[in-house]
Amino acid sequence: ADAVVVSGCHPGDCHYINGNYKARRRMKLIKEILPRFGIEKERIRLTWIGASDGHNLSETINELVEQVKALGPVETKTTIVI
């Protein structure tokens, strides 16, 4: 995939209580790790979009698509371990 959107309920308003807080911490870590593999951190996005925010989801995805088109396809670094 050239990009990934991770979306969840707004913090404090989730059926799963703390899943969105865990996602936020994990996204911070993954954004630190991705550049080590030659992947721009702009290719992954975390959003808080509720079930009734379909228009917001559509806008978010369209924005990310335009951003990824400008970045081009993923070209990862190849590392040889001996």
Side-chain angles (χ1 to χ4, degrees), residues 1 10-11 16-17 19 31 35-36 40 45 54 60 65 70 74 78-79:
H10 296 278
Y16 296 103
I17 303 167
K31 284 189 172 197
R36 297 178 189 174
E40 299 91 346
R45 186 175 295 183
T60 299
V65 166
V74 172
T78 305
T79 306

Side-chain angles (χ1 to χ4, degrees), residues 22-36:
K22 289 179 183 178
R24 184 170 37 198
R25 286 192 306 269
R26 291 172 180 165
M27 288 294 289
K28 183 178 178 187
L29 292 173
I30 196 81
K31 284 189 172 197
E32 292 176 15
I33 294 169
L34 285 177
R36 297 178 189 174

Side-chain angles (χ1 to χ4, degrees), residues 38-49:
I39 301 172
E40 299 91 346
K41 62 184 177 181
E42 294 81 14
R43 294 183 181 273
I44 187 164
R45 186 175 295 183
L46 174 63
T47 63
W48 306 125
I49 300 175

Side-chain angles (χ1 to χ4, degrees), residues 2 40 43 68-69 71-76:
D2 288 325
E40 299 91 346
R43 294 183 181 273
V68 170
K69 283 182 181 178
L71 291 171
V74 172
E75 294 180 19
T76 59

